[in-house]
Structure formats: C-alpha cells, structure tokens
Amino acid sequence: MRRRTAMGRMTGSRLSIYEMSHGDFEMWDRNRRNMLGTMDDMPQYRKYMTQALELAHKGAGWVNPNPLVGTVVVRDGEILAAGYHDRYRGPHAERMAFDYADKHGIDMHGATVIDTLEPCCHVGSQPACTDLILSHGITRVVVGSIDPNPIVAGKGLRILEENGVEVVYDVMRAECDAINRHFFRYITTGMGVRTKC
C-alpha cells in the first residue's frame, strides 16, 4: 500500500516539516495521526477489493476496448452499493454504484469507494467519475491501479485529494493491473486495444 499525501511527499524527499506551508503541515499531521487506522483497515480493504475484482471480471468480453473496472462502496463495514463497467461506452463502475444508491435513497456521505482502477476525471462518452465521488460526499477512495491513460494518469486521484478526499493507493495493485494488461499495453505502447471512453 502507498499513500501519496503530504506526508508521503515529505517522507519521499528532503523536505522537513519546517519547510512545509501551513496547509501542507495540517494535511501531513492529519495523515500521520490517521496512518495507524488506515493500516488497521487494510484487511477490510483487501476483502472489498477482492469483491470489486470479481465484479470487474463480469465485463470481460463486453467492455473491450475499455478496461475492466469494479467498484464497491462501503461504510462502517456495510456495502452500500457496487457496480462494474458492463459494456463498451456503458456507465462506468462508479456511476453504476452511485445510480443504484440514488435510486434506492442511500446516503453515501462519509463512505469509502473501493476502486480497481483510478476514477476518471474527464468527460468522454461518460461524465467524470471524480465529480460523482465529490458530489456524493465520499471521504476516502481506495484504489488498486493507476490509469496510465495520459488524460487521467493520477490526475483523478489528485483532484480528489485536493478536495479533501483521502486516497489510499496500490491496494492489490498486482491483481488489479493484471486484469487490464491488454488495455495498459495499448495505452503505453499504442498496440492492442483502444483507449477508455
């Protein structure tokens, strides 16, 4: 697991807490205090990520050339909603989960989104998933793979962090990367399937 937060940036460089801005220090201190809780939550994250991967596989053969993606939304140990990308140009996994919650009157505030792939932050054939996450009051996003598509490539998670959402990176990354190896190959080499959206 990797957390790219103010604390992660600080510990990965020669910065000291004295060189941080007040805002960065507050973020670093909050993340430092929350780190133990996050580590304690790791078995739960892995459990829900396994379920998200199972959902993602349901799109196999239907979403090409899009990636396989699964999402589980949880709060206090309860699954509130789940979704997966089920067809080419169809709703993204996050939208499927949020649409379900909206239809059933489920309040998502304070919940955690478990995502096999970084949420998109651009408008293609579907709206940006980062907007959905922010509008539903999600407080944490746990992600397996970073989307290598240059129009996303970490930008989605950065937008979430900048808007106060805690991001936990690289949970079961090997497994999440493996289900989209053909998509990743196209994005990084131009060979194989086409791009998402």
Side-chain angles (χ1 to χ4, degrees), residues 23-195:
D24 278 350
F25 176 79
E26 286 185 341
M27 184 182 297
W28 172 82
D29 188 53
R30 182 174 68 247
N31 290 330
R32 177 185 58 80
R33 286 183 277 111
N34 289 339
M35 180 60 82
L36 182 59
T38 300
M39 295 303 291
D40 288 345
D41 289 336
M42 188 51 58
Q44 292 282 11
Y45 295 160
R46 292 183 63 84
K47 179 180 86 168
Y48 295 126
M49 188 64 79
T50 298
Q51 294 176 11
L53 281 162
E54 290 171 1
L55 287 169
H57 279 290
K58 291 185 174 187
W62 298 98
V63 304
N64 193 28
N66 291 167
L68 297 169
V69 186
T71 297
V72 177
V73 186
V74 300
R75 185 177 57 220
D76 299 327
E78 176 187 2
I79 295 178
L80 303 178
Y84 66 98
H85 186 42
D86 66 345
R87 66 187 184 279
Y88 176 59
R89 293 195 178 275
H92 291 179
E94 299 90 341
R95 177 161 291 282
M96 185 181 280
F98 286 119
D99 283 352
Y100 173 88
D102 292 344
K103 181 178 179 181
H104 292 86
I106 300 170
D107 178 16
M108 307 287 261
H109 280 80
T112 295
V113 169
I114 312 289
D115 249 336
T116 59
L117 183 67
E118 174 182 7
C120 69
C121 56
H122 63 286
V123 177
S125 61
Q126 297 293 321
C129 293
T130 50
D131 291 345
L132 278 175
I133 289 168
L134 294 172
S135 69
H136 282 80
I138 298 301
T139 56
R140 179 180 297 138
V141 171
V142 176
V143 68
S145 296
I146 305 300
D147 192 335
N149 187 337
I151 60 177
V152 185
K155 297 183 187 83
L157 298 176
R158 189 161 56 251
I159 287 169
L160 296 175
E161 288 181 321
E162 289 170 352
N163 283 277
V165 177
E166 180 186 2
V167 175
V168 181
Y169 291 70
D170 298 340
V171 174
M172 298 180 66
R173 181 167 185 171
E175 294 90 336
C176 292
D177 285 356
I179 65 170
N180 284 312
R181 62 187 179 278
H182 299 300
F183 172 73
F184 288 3
R185 180 170 178 251
Y186 170 78
I187 291 298
T188 56
T189 70
M191 300 173 63
V193 299
R194 294 179 299 152
T195 186

